[in-house]
Amino acid sequence: MPRDPRHDLLFEPVTFGPKTTRNRFWATSHSSGYPDRPGTHASFRAMKAEGGWGVVNTGFCSIHPESDEYPWTSSRLWDEGDVVNLGHLTEEIHKHGGLAGVQLWYTAMHSPRSESRESARGPSGLPSNVFPERNVYAAWASEDDIKALINMYVLAAYRAEEAGFDLVEVSGGDTTVPLQFLETRYNKRDDKYGGSFENRARFYVELMTALKKAVGDRLAVTTRFEVDTINGDHRIKHFDEGLGFMEHMNKEGVVDLWSIKIGDYEEWGEDAGSSRFRKPNWAAPFVAGARDLGDVPVVSNGRFTSPDDMVAAIKAGQCDLIGAARPSIADPFIPNKISEGRTDEIRECIGCNMCVSRMQQQALMYCTQNPTTGEEYRRGWHPEETGASPSPSTVLVVGAGPAGMEAALTLARRGHEVHLRDSAEALGGHWRAVARYPRCSEYGRLISYREVMLGKYDNVSVQLGVPAMSAQDVLDYGAEKVILATGSHWSTVGLGPETHEPLQDVDADLPNVLTPEQVSAGKPIPEGKVVVLDGDGHFTGFAMAEIAADLGRETTIVTNTHDVFEYSKYTMEMPNNKRAMYEKGITFLRNHWAIGYEGNTLRLFYLYKDTAGLYETAPGEWGRRFGDEVVEMECDALILTTSRVPDDSLYWELTQRKAEWGEADIEGVYRIGDCVQPRHAMDAIFEGHRIGMELESPDPQRPLPFIRERQIWGAPTIPKLGDERPVVEGELLV
Amino acid sequence: MSESLKIAVLVKEVPDTYGDRHLDLETGLADRGASDAVLDEIGGRAVEVAVSYAEANEGTEVVAVTMGPESATKALREALAIGADSAVHVSDEALAGADLGLTAEVLAAAVERLDVDLVLAGNQSTDGLGGVLPAMLAELLGRPHATNLDAIEIAGDGITGTRASDFGAMTLSTPLPAVASITDRLPDARFPSFKGNSAAKKKPLETLTAADLGVAPENPEAPRSILISVAARPPREGGVKITDEGDGGAKIAEFLDQNRLIGEAS
């Protein structure tokens, strides 16, 4: 289909500094966990260029060992070794016609420096509020130190140029050092870099001026600026110093482009707003007015996945370019799909922040919607091209949840003859109920994308509302290969991660004991005091508590963990989870677990009721002194989000009848997703995709090896021991 | 009483209702190139009724019968994949555009040859919507008919069923041999399994012409309906657009009320 003319606007070139981008799609800088794996990193970023993004940025890039983010993995421009690795990355981006950008990053007081062990310099010698538990501070910078800081940026910009980057973007967001100078909460100086607004702005202005001088005639010099930290007084507010600073900087003419964000480093979940709390383009009111301050192009983000929303933002004067981090991960091909009139094929970001959560676990980044994220190099996967199977077969997929849908789709794209069957009347498995939880409606995109794509292939038959299949039905079906994706269910007896035992007198057959499936199906939640017993730590327990609270129930969450819904620490939703609970009067009790529930009394125990010390409890017998205190809690209804149990009976029945497979012409029976082990939908979809890609392998149940990237012993290192570091001290280099 | 029977099921290839459907304005016939041709869903349901009976009553034989162009073989193969044992395809260019009378004559001749206990059909096809063919067939065959059944029970010597009417549900029964038609209140046909699909390729499928059946399509003595003219559906007129200015709900309610789509309960 041709492109909708209403979207032509998105494909106009934009010039900033010495560079012109082919369209208005800006793949915003975001971390990935990949930079230590140069192949993985380059192929991941280059996929966005191949998918049509005009500008492709890397993640945050440390300019000097003083700002060492380890154990988080950032890019680095410390030495020639980094130039080699990032040189490969820019080459891959350029192959597909994109401009390559790198974000220059120095966090001073917020840098954990767990690898380099150096001291960082900042405007003031304060402890970090981002890592209060890590004991990190910055050293008060002298005026000479400030010159050294600027020189570090200049040397990094030279290396960026050497690596082939088209633009350097100074991070003035995520509370990096330019912001620490600007914000009164961090800047306690009384010299020319502190006090008045002009003084606090001085460092940022001098920095941009130096970079413009150093590389500005060849590279675009841009910045990502935190226009509003949305944290109240003593912080940046867009209507005050936020826009005021942009105006001030524009007068100097040293910024070629503004990429604007909101939220600070402590709560960067406000920049990466999850769909549970922020609707697309939630930053619009904070960005308003930025575009009117001058002729400098503005990039604005907002989890944009709809071309209509993008066009509306540009037409409204909000921005010149559409920035996207998460949508460009979920679908690197958004620009090309819009350009080719294939908007129905856009794999829309669901805003679940699993990508964010991976970063916060200091792990490799993956995506719920796009199982090929991070696998481009190491497994050779491509989000749009699966290749054809060398030996197509007939495949029966039982279960149309996340794993089953993705397996069926991948197999269909590769030319297999697929039957996807489910006893439910619609696609999605348990995820259909999830998408109806409060706040979770965007999660439904996981299903709708696959529903649309499954409809495009004649070689997949989607068979819904069919009778549940028995082992005999599978044996009689005539499929060469069988994939079971039968899912899991929430434990009906309170089996959980603390005791791994059912709770006493607890059974979801009782009217006052409920599972999420029952709540979704309309089982009434009895009036009075409701307890959600949560051993899951993610969003389901929260949803149950909110449903109960919205019905007027006095709701308490009891969890064994140190904090409530601990996974939300990783998705950066913890603070807003707590705000929402506070607003709705939902209380919580941590480090407790249940023993049993009878009448309207829930019996709990405190996890640490036993002694810290070890004693000789009887002659020759050593151990703790165990406490037996029971905490009783009034409870009229108990909702169990304790753990999930695989629905694997069909798999075990079929394995017991393995001798009959040959007779039935079945080559293999495999299982994927929650029926193997309960997991995040992200991992279930990955497994569905993987088996779809590897069905021809000798044992499709087990993954093929992937390329590992690490230093192989014996290769020369950069730097070598004894090498000298470039000097940053002294006068400004430019 | 249950026992083995021979059942003929009438099926039809129709344009997919999920796609675009067009009439050829020259001939007045469905433009078969405009959309996918599929097994009519109602015929699929009839096959399901017959196959379910056959599964419970060993020795029962189910024959799918169609009259239609060469491509209709695909619909028959689908009926075979669902579980019919064999198929008969009457295909003859002289039958293109046949009216209900000629169609009934051809199908009666085809069924007569099979010597079946029961002829089962959908109550009406999705494309033609005639709804009288099963009764015409019964007339030609000289057999009793029980049509438009919402529920059907087949026994060895007769069938019983329920038909909805304006005055309530009526129960019908008739001895075999007979003709019956069912409504879409009966379950969807099952999805063919891989085994069903591959078995369907090997099951017998007989192709016949009008001459094979001794039917003369051009018989000037026979009463035939003649197509006089055909016209395209007039283009749809623009609808009413309601702009929400804070009172969208009230405006929609007003619109629905004006069009008598809602009102106070009487």
Side-chain angles (χ1 to χ4, degrees):
Chain A
M1 261 175 84
R3 176 163 84 215
D4 187 329
R6 291 177 307 159
H7 301 152
D8 287 348
L9 176 68
L10 300 171
F11 296 89
E12 291 170 354
V14 179
T15 299
F16 54 108
K19 298 289 177 180
T20 299
T21 170
R22 59 185 164 181
N23 57 33
R24 296 180 187 268
F25 293 92
W26 174 279
T28 302
S29 175
H30 68 80
S31 52
S32 63
Y34 305 155
D36 287 349
R37 293 164 170 80
T40 299
H41 195 205
S43 296
F44 164 73
R45 302 283 176 188
M47 193 61 78
K48 302 190 194 194
E50 186 181 337
W53 297 83
V55 177
V56 178
N57 287 285
T58 67
F60 65 151
C61 181
S62 165
I63 57 168
H64 192 275
E66 283 182 17
S67 185
D68 157 32
E69 308 311 316
Y70 193 81
W72 281 267
T73 309
S74 75
S75 286
R76 289 165 172 176
L77 275 169
W78 294 358
D79 54 47
E80 284 305 305
D82 298 319
V83 171
V84 172
N85 284 351
L86 289 171
H88 168 59
L89 181 143
T90 61
E91 202 173 88
E92 291 295 302
I93 291 171
H94 290 152
K95 268 185 202 167
H96 301 288
L99 295 178
V102 63
Q103 186 182 72
L104 306 184
W105 172 283
Y106 186 101
T107 25
M109 68 188 287
H110 299 311
S111 165
R113 287 161 262 149
S114 298
E115 183 172 358
S116 69
R117 310 183 75 176
E118 303 200 12
S119 299
R121 301 175 240 196
S124 315
L126 297 170
S128 170
N129 53 297
V130 178
F131 300 115
E133 73 287 8
R134 285 178 188 254
N135 209 12
V136 286
Y137 290 69
W140 285 91
S142 67
E143 291 197 11
D144 284 345
D145 286 330
I146 289 173
K147 283 183 198 152
L149 283 172
I150 293 174
N151 285 340
M152 289 176 200
Y153 277 93
V154 169
L155 289 178
Y158 287 145
R159 286 191 204 102
E161 183 181 14
E162 201 188 333
F165 283 102
D166 301 285
L167 64 109
V168 285
E169 174 186 85
V170 169
S171 169
D174 298 300
T175 328
T176 43
V177 75
L179 248 288
Q180 290 170 29
F181 273 95
L182 195 55
E183 280 195 275
T184 53
R185 73 184 290 211
Y186 294 121
N187 188 333
K188 308 297 181 191
R189 302 178 75 91
D190 54 10
D191 60 3
K192 66 176 183 176
Y193 291 98
S196 70
F197 168 72
E198 283 73 19
N199 281 356
R200 282 182 283 116
R202 191 178 310 280
F203 173 79
Y204 207 155
V205 172
E206 285 181 0
L207 170 59
M208 298 309 293
T209 308
L211 289 174
K212 190 78 184 151
K213 253 186 177 162
V215 296
D217 58 334
R218 302 167 322 268
L219 270 61
V221 176
T222 74
T223 188
R224 184 132 207 257
F225 176 58
E226 205 151 81
V227 73
D228 199 318
T229 58
I230 48 173
N231 265 325
D233 290 342
H234 309 296
R235 323 284 167 94
I236 303 289
K237 286 178 280 199
H238 69 287
F239 49 83
D240 180 12
E241 292 190 349
L243 294 179
F245 173 74
M246 291 177 72
E247 201 172 9
H248 181 69
M249 183 75 99
N250 277 350
K251 281 185 210 146
E252 304 292 326
V254 287
V255 169
D256 292 332
L257 173 145
W258 293 96
S259 173
I260 304 180
K261 70 181 284 287
I262 59 171
D264 59 10
Y265 199 28
E266 185 174 7
E267 214 176 325
W268 65 276
E270 290 297 3
D271 176 38
S274 83
S275 63
R276 289 179 60 240
F277 291 99
R278 302 286 178 257
K279 294 295 152 211
N281 201 14
W282 70 100
F286 297 91
V287 181
R291 183 67 198 83
D292 307 328
L293 297 174
D295 293 332
V296 184
V298 168
V299 180
S300 178
N301 281 49
R303 211 171 67 252
F304 287 105
T305 56
S306 148
D308 294 344
D309 290 353
M310 297 174 191
V311 168
I314 293 168
K315 282 196 167 167
Q318 178 182 333
C319 56
D320 303 276
L321 293 107
I322 296 298
R326 288 168 296 164
S328 73
I329 300 165
D331 195 343
F333 280 70
I334 288 179
N336 284 359
K337 287 177 182 177
I338 297 171
S339 181
E340 293 158 16
R342 296 187 287 127
T343 52
D344 61 327
E345 293 183 27
I346 293 175
R347 199 184 305 101
E348 289 184 286
C349 169
I350 68 171
C352 64
N353 279 15
M354 290 305 287
C355 51
V356 169
S357 80
R358 296 292 303 181
M359 189 59 197
Q360 288 302 75
Q361 293 173 81
Q362 297 131 21
L364 297 176
M365 185 189 71
Y366 304 132
C367 172
T368 299
Q369 273 284 56
N370 179 5
T372 69
T373 300
E375 311 293 355
E376 301 86 353
Y377 170 73
R378 68 175 193 175
R379 290 184 211 265
W381 290 358
H382 187 291
E384 303 302 315
E385 292 160 23
T386 56
S389 167
S391 50
S393 45
T394 53
V395 190
L396 168 65
V397 181
V398 184
M405 285 190 294
E406 179 65 22
L409 177 57
T410 308
L411 291 164
R413 291 164 78 185
R414 301 189 64 235
H416 293 278
E417 194 68 35
V418 187
H419 286 189
L420 173 63
R421 290 173 69 89
D422 200 298
S423 56
E425 294 289 343
L427 287 169
H430 83 290
W431 203 255
R432 280 168 61 225
V434 168
R436 286 195 293 267
Y437 290 167
R439 303 179 187 276
C440 294
S441 61
E442 275 190 39
Y443 289 12
R445 294 171 170 184
L446 186 158
I447 302 168
S448 53
Y449 163 72
R450 286 170 179 81
E451 187 164 12
V452 167
M453 295 308 292
L454 283 165
K456 290 183 188 277
Y457 294 91
D458 287 340
N459 54 326
V460 57
S461 161
V462 179
Q463 307 181 356
L464 300 169
V466 297
M469 292 190 92
S470 66
Q472 190 61 47
D473 292 337
V474 173
L475 291 169
D476 288 343
Y477 203 80
E480 290 163 301
K481 294 175 182 177
V482 178
I483 296 174
L484 304 180
T486 45
S488 65
H489 63 273
W490 289 96
S491 170
T492 56
V493 292
L495 199 65
E498 188 57 39
T499 58
H500 301 110
E501 295 289 342
L503 305 177
Q504 293 167 16
D505 306 311
V506 165
D507 191 320
D509 284 343
L510 299 167
N512 57 348
V513 177
L514 302 93
T515 64
E517 289 95 340
Q518 292 176 334
V519 172
S520 292
K523 179 173 173 179
I525 302 173
E527 288 192 20
K529 295 187 172 172
V530 171
V531 171
V532 176
L533 183 66
D534 188 64
D536 176 63
H538 203 179
F539 58 83
T540 305
F542 185 98
M544 294 303 119
E546 190 163 21
I547 290 170
D550 287 347
L551 289 169
R553 311 289 186 263
E554 198 180 311
T555 307
T556 303
I557 293 142
V558 174
T559 179
N560 56 324
T561 46
H562 292 286
D563 212 335
V564 62
F565 307 124
E566 280 203 339
Y567 200 84
S568 69
K569 236 175 18 191
Y570 304 133
T571 59
M572 300 300 292
E573 293 169 295
M574 176 78 85
N576 282 330
N577 268 354
K578 285 193 169 166
R579 289 180 185 116
M581 288 192 277
Y582 184 71
E583 281 169 0
K584 299 203 168 192
I586 299 169
T587 55
F588 49 86
L589 179 65
R590 297 168 287 194
N591 292 140
H592 283 72
W593 196 248
I595 302 163
Y597 176 44
E598 209 176 0
N600 62 348
T601 305
L602 180 64
R603 282 172 297 126
L604 305 169
F605 66 93
Y606 175 56
L607 263 55
Y608 305 106
K609 64 186 183 313
D610 313 320
T611 61
L614 301 176
Y615 303 91
E616 192 168 15
T617 49
E621 290 179 18
W622 282 76
R624 291 187 197 285
R625 289 192 185 132
F626 291 98
D628 54 6
E629 296 86 355
V630 172
V631 179
E632 291 196 342
M633 188 182 244
E634 204 183 319
C635 174
D636 299 298
L638 177 65
I639 304 180
L640 300 169
T641 55
T642 54
S643 72
R644 289 176 291 159
V645 181
D647 292 325
D648 54 5
S649 56
L650 182 57
Y651 177 77
W652 294 119
E653 281 167 42
L654 282 164
T655 352
Q656 274 166 11
R657 297 176 67 177
K658 196 165 182 177
E660 298 171 53
W661 294 4
E663 178 85 2
D665 292 326
I666 293 177
E667 290 171 30
V669 175
Y670 316 107
R671 55 177 177 152
I672 56 172
D674 277 10
C675 74
V676 186
Q677 49 183 268
R679 61 189 76 192
H680 293 301
M682 175 180 80
D683 297 318
I685 286 177
F686 167 79
E687 197 171 35
H689 192 83
R690 188 204 58 76
I691 203 164
M693 293 299 289
E694 297 181 350
L695 195 67
E696 305 80 8
S697 82
D699 181 8
Q701 185 67 62
R702 304 292 158 200
L704 293 170
F706 53 84
I707 297 175
R708 292 183 57 209
E709 295 183 80
R710 77 290 203 195
Q711 187 182 349
I712 302 284
W713 193 250
T717 63
I718 302 175
K720 295 188 296 295
L721 276 184
D723 282 358
E724 279 176 19
R725 225 185 234 177
V727 177
V728 293
E729 316 300 328
E731 285 312 300
L732 286 182
L733 291 164
V734 290
Chain B
M1 194 174 90
S2 303
E3 59 183 65
S4 57
L5 297 174
K6 188 166 182 183
I7 306 173
V9 185
L10 305 186
V11 296
K12 189 176 182 188
E13 178 198 60
V14 297
D16 192 347
T17 46
Y18 292 100
D20 285 335
R21 293 183 293 171
H22 292 293
L23 277 183
D24 182 329
L25 297 180
E26 294 276 317
T27 63
L29 302 178
D31 178 358
R32 289 183 186 268
S35 57
D36 288 345
V38 297
L39 170 66
D40 197 358
E41 202 179 291
I42 191 73
R45 289 175 202 263
V47 176
E48 179 66 40
V49 169
V51 168
S52 299
Y53 180 81
E55 281 171 342
N57 297 276
E58 214 177 313
T60 293
E61 193 186 334
V62 179
V63 190
V65 180
T66 196
M67 182 187 104
E70 220 169 289
S71 60
T73 310
K74 193 171 150 254
L76 284 175
R77 289 285 177 209
E78 202 174 326
L80 293 170
I82 293 168
D85 301 289
S86 62
V88 174
H89 184 182
V90 186
S91 184
D92 195 323
E93 275 185 24
L95 294 171
D99 70 349
L100 284 159
L102 178 55
T103 306
E105 210 178 309
V106 168
L107 291 173
V111 167
E112 197 83 76
R113 290 172 77 248
L114 295 171
D115 188 23
V116 296
D117 302 294
L118 173 64
V119 180
L120 207 53
N123 59 339
Q124 60 178 18
S125 62
T126 312
D127 57 347
L129 302 174
V132 292
L133 197 120
M136 293 171 89
L137 196 63
E139 176 73 16
L140 291 171
L141 293 169
R143 293 183 188 179
H145 64 80
T147 53
N148 291 303
L149 302 181
D150 287 344
I152 181 168
E153 198 174 319
I154 304 169
D157 56 353
I159 59 167
T160 312
T162 323
R163 178 195 294 162
S165 78
D166 290 344
F167 311 103
M170 55 175 96
T171 302
L172 307 165
S173 69
T174 171
L176 295 177
V179 176
S181 74
I182 55 131
T183 71
D184 60 11
R185 299 294 293 273
L186 281 148
D188 275 329
R190 68 193 69 182
F191 291 102
S193 66
F194 287 121
K195 192 179 256 180
N197 282 339
S198 51
K201 290 176 195 153
K202 297 170 202 144
K203 288 178 178 173
L205 190 153
E206 189 182 14
T207 309
L208 301 170
T209 62
D212 293 335
L213 295 169
V215 176
E218 304 299 335
N219 180 4
E221 304 295 311
R224 298 275 187 250
S225 52
I226 297 161
L227 179 77
I228 296 170
S229 73
V230 61
R233 190 207 301 249
R236 192 187 290 196
E237 288 175 28
V240 177
K241 193 179 256 180
I242 291 173
T243 311
D244 182 21
E245 288 158 348
D247 57 350
K251 280 185 186 163
I252 289 171
E254 196 181 320
F255 173 81
L256 294 173
D257 186 42
Q258 278 167 2
N259 289 277
R260 295 169 183 252
L261 294 166
I262 51 168
E264 283 178 34
S266 53

